[in-house]
Amino acid sequence: DGGITQSPKYLFRKEGQNVTLSCEQNLNHDAMYWYRQDPGQGLRLIYYSQIVNDFQKGDIAEGYSVSREKKESFPLTVTSAQKNPTAFYLCASSPGPNQETQYFGPGTRLLVL
Amino acid sequence: GDSVTQMEGPVTLSEEAFLTINCTYTATGYPSLFWYVQYPGEGLQLLLKATKADDKGSNKGFEATYRKETTSFHLEKGSVQVSDSAVYFCALLSSSNTGKLIFGQGTTLQVKP
């Protein structure tokens, strides 16, 4: 089945620790995105990538980093510089950036110990 | 900049009631518009979309019409079911050529038997 997978479903971070969230897609999509969702709010864009080996900052990139070494993978690292990381993180992909529907993964909930 | 405003929730309805969730937007040009639905603990699923003025998107009994005169994309359903209980997000595709979706804050719908 084609789709987007995210792992883990829940992730716990200790103070000062970097953690990495996985996002994989087998839809052969060029574009991939990371969004952050906080309670009672809409989604906000963290990073996006329109093609392999290229990515751009979104609206709230501080404290996060990404890589796009393979078309199907777009991992997100939450660094210790992100002071308020507790949120629901959603990965999405689309065939291309314009006029295209984005398809979302099931999400990873990050909690701070 | 581009923005989306949704009616505040929660919206509580009895089964078989008529549903309207209001969505208005501010944007340059005529962006594609979307409704996504999120069930508890899950990612977002595309419900419907419209890519140009006067288009009507429809799916699973839900409908929304792209109204450029009123810059609106209200979601409607004639008869809701308990299984429709979820959070609904209105979104537009940014005109910045980044592929970024701009979301409203979401509207929680609770349908009671």
Side-chain angles (χ1 to χ4, degrees):
Chain A
D1 287 338
I4 302 174
T5 57
Q6 290 186 241
S7 62
K9 188 174 178 66
Y10 296 95
L11 185 58
F12 298 92
R13 193 190 90 163
K14 296 179 181 178
E15 291 291 334
Q17 185 181 41
N18 293 353
V19 292
T20 298
L21 286 61
S22 169
C23 177
E24 304 277 332
Q25 55 99 0
N26 61 4
L27 301 167
N28 200 33
H29 285 174
D30 283 325
M32 297 186 75
Y33 310 85
W34 274 106
Y35 292 91
R36 171 179 170 140
Q37 184 180 20
D38 293 285
Q41 297 187 33
L43 282 68
R44 293 179 290 168
L45 183 66
I46 305 172
Y47 267 97
Y48 64 98
S49 169
Q50 295 184 351
I51 199 166
V52 176
N53 292 322
D54 185 55
F55 51 83
Q56 305 295 330
K57 293 181 179 180
D59 298 321
I60 54 165
E62 185 175 353
Y64 300 97
S65 65
V66 293
S67 63
R68 186 85 188 277
E69 297 176 1
K70 298 186 294 183
K71 187 175 186 178
E72 60 269 24
S73 179
F74 192 40
L76 173 74
T77 296
V78 184
T79 74
S80 57
Q82 173 49 244
K83 298 307 179 187
N84 184 24
T86 297
F88 192 47
Y89 291 86
L90 288 157
C91 179
S93 72
S94 67
N98 296 317
Q99 308 298 322
E100 300 280 7
T101 299
Q102 290 184 21
Y103 299 88
F104 284 80
T108 293
R109 188 164 299 280
L110 176 60
L111 301 167
V112 177
L113 294 176
Chain B
D2 297 348
S3 66
V4 175
T5 302
Q6 288 181 235
M7 64 185 287
E8 289 197 20
V11 174
T12 303
L13 297 173
S14 297
E15 207 165 21
E16 299 184 1
F18 185 86
L19 169 71
T20 299
I21 299 178
N22 290 338
C23 171
T24 57
Y25 67 90
T26 302
T28 303
Y30 303 106
S32 293
L33 301 172
F34 304 83
W35 276 102
Y36 282 88
V37 58
Q38 183 178 38
Y39 298 100
E42 298 183 8
L44 274 65
Q45 300 176 24
L46 177 68
L47 184 58
L48 53 84
K49 70 177 184 180
T51 58
K52 60 182 187 293
D54 300 324
D55 265 2
K56 177 186 283 188
S58 61
N59 186 26
K60 299 181 181 179
F62 291 89
E63 293 183 341
T65 301
Y66 191 138
R67 303 281 189 202
K68 67 176 182 178
E69 305 86 3
T70 53
T71 61
S72 65
F73 192 55
H74 304 322
L75 183 68
E76 296 181 337
K77 186 175 185 183
S79 176
V80 294
Q81 305 299 313
V82 173
S83 57
D84 293 327
S85 298
V87 182
Y88 292 82
F89 291 93
C90 184
L92 66 81
L93 189 64
S94 169
S95 56
S96 63
N97 202 37
T98 62
K100 178 172 82 170
L101 283 173
I102 296 171
F103 288 86
Q105 75 272 30
T107 301
T108 299
L109 170 65
Q110 184 178 22
V111 180
K112 295 186 175 180

